[in-house]
Amino acid sequence: MGYLYLLCVALMFSFGGTCVKLISPFFGPAYITFFRFAVGVFFLLLLKAVKRQRFPQDFFVLARTVLGWILFGAVTKWVAYLTENYALSHGPSYGNIITQPAQTVFLTLSSVFLFKEKLPPRKLFCILLCMMGVLFISWNGRSLDAFFQENILLTGLFLLSGICAGCHVLSQKMIADRMEIIDSNLSIFAVAALLAFFPLLPGIAGGELSGIRPDIGCFAGILMFGFITGIGFYLNARAILLVPFYMVPIIQSTMVIFAILWGVLFFHERITVYILAGSALFILGLIGLQLSDKIRNRSKVI
């Protein structure tokens, strides 16, 4: 079941760009970010109701003990989604495929500098593969002038999104042994929803939303984005407990294939050999990073 969960997560998150493209004609990136958190919290609460799972009596006591990590995870996830949604609104629907290798490389380097783990040549080579893959995708065969004027900003935002998403993973790791999966995600996403909502108040008070008439596609995109956020992270956390950890990003990387496919089918976006080559490079890099971890752990046991 763990592998099935991961495939479902990869499929769900591959629709992220599609959701943004459905919502962005009516709402900007800041609103999209708030909708994603708010509706995600709704689906997590609905999941608790379906599972008949009550909040523990000492929930607020537990939350206070990890409040710093909750705030850290909420702020970084808010920035991750805000930057990703802005870049998706102004670029191709599959552009967020860059965030996965950025997150993995960030977490690998964090383990080296924060937890004093070693960085063997094999891992360094895999990191270089990931970086080359990102470079190929962002370059996409354009002239250097076009690259620096058009692509580098969006690429930088996707990379920042991946780094902030990695920070969110670190916060989840620090909370995991003290709070239940749904409760920890609810805590982080609820705080993130508040952070995303406050900057919207001046515009709402000034009548920014007057005259906006979202269509069915927009409403579907908002609901789908919230479902992906709430249920997707829950399934991902469940899967981590059922499969070898090194397999998680390997299966998640199939999101790249789905995301590119949706861009072609739904928005008729052009896929070049640079996009395909870059995707292949960073998928190989991700697989190499995780397999090197597996080899290292086996050597420790021996």
Side-chain angles (χ1 to χ4, degrees):
M1 288 299 295
Y3 293 105
L4 179 60
Y5 288 157
L6 287 175
L7 282 174
C8 289
V9 170
L11 180 61
M12 290 165 66
F13 279 100
S14 71
F15 282 104
T18 302
C19 292
V20 171
K21 292 298 185 184
L22 290 173
I23 305 169
S24 57
F26 304 94
F27 299 101
Y31 283 97
I32 296 173
T33 301
F34 167 69
F35 293 148
R36 184 169 188 179
F37 283 124
V39 182
V41 168
F42 166 77
F43 276 110
L44 284 173
L45 289 172
L46 184 63
L47 180 63
K48 279 185 76 73
V50 171
K51 290 170 65 68
R52 297 182 179 179
Q53 182 185 105
R54 296 182 178 180
F55 286 98
Q57 292 183 347
D58 59 346
F59 172 78
F60 290 105
V61 175
L62 289 173
R64 280 199 297 269
T65 62
V66 291
L67 182 59
W69 287 111
I70 290 175
L71 291 174
F72 177 73
V75 171
T76 53
K77 199 60 178 173
W78 171 43
V79 175
Y81 281 163
L82 189 61
T83 51
E84 180 183 12
N85 290 333
Y86 180 89
L88 284 171
S89 298
H90 294 80
S93 65
Y94 56 80
N96 60 339
I97 62 178
I98 294 175
T99 60
Q100 184 69 29
Q103 175 180 314
T104 301
V105 171
F106 171 78
L107 289 174
T108 301
L109 294 177
S110 296
S111 68
V112 174
F113 293 107
L114 297 179
F115 305 111
K116 308 302 180 184
E117 295 187 7
K118 294 182 179 179
L119 185 63
R122 184 188 298 109
K123 267 194 171 184
L124 185 58
F125 175 72
C126 292
I127 289 175
L128 290 175
L129 280 180
C130 289
M131 294 173 65
M132 288 175 60
V134 171
L135 182 61
F136 263 69
I137 292 171
S138 57
W139 172 35
N140 200 16
R142 299 181 179 218
S143 67
L144 290 179
D145 288 340
F147 171 73
F148 284 107
Q149 290 177 10
E150 300 175 19
N151 285 19
I152 195 166
L153 173 60
L154 299 183
T155 300
L157 289 173
F158 282 128
L159 291 175
L160 178 58
S161 176
I163 292 171
C164 290
C167 291
H168 170 247
V169 172
L170 283 177
S171 71
Q172 286 185 309
K173 178 180 175 63
M174 302 305 294
I175 296 173
D177 59 343
R178 284 177 273 185
M179 290 187 75
E180 197 273 336
I181 294 171
I182 300 180
D183 292 341
S184 63
N185 279 325
L186 265 174
S187 302
I188 292 175
F189 289 160
V191 175
L194 290 175
L195 291 173
F197 178 67
F198 287 131
L200 302 178
L201 286 175
I204 295 174
E208 192 175 60
L209 297 180
S210 61
I212 295 179
R213 298 291 184 270
D215 60 12
I216 296 177
C218 177
F219 282 117
I222 291 173
L223 288 175
M224 188 188 306
F225 226 176
F227 180 83
I228 289 169
T229 303
I231 306 303
F233 275 101
Y234 170 74
L235 290 178
N236 190 66
R238 287 288 305 274
I240 289 173
L241 302 175
L242 300 174
V243 303
F245 187 69
Y246 70 90
M247 288 299 297
V248 175
I250 293 176
I251 297 178
Q252 284 181 344
S253 64
T254 58
M255 181 196 81
V256 174
I257 301 170
F258 295 127
I260 292 175
L261 181 61
W262 308 147
V264 174
L265 290 178
F266 300 146
F267 306 108
H268 309 291
E269 293 169 343
R270 192 170 69 90
I271 306 301
T272 67
V273 66
Y274 298 95
I275 301 294
L276 297 176
S279 301
L281 281 173
F282 76 65
I283 287 176
L284 287 174
L286 290 176
I287 293 173
L289 281 172
Q290 301 310 310
L291 290 181
S292 64
D293 278 338
K294 181 186 178 185
I295 294 170
R296 184 196 62 188
N297 292 335
R298 280 187 175 179
S299 64
K300 284 182 178 180
V301 173
I302 295 173

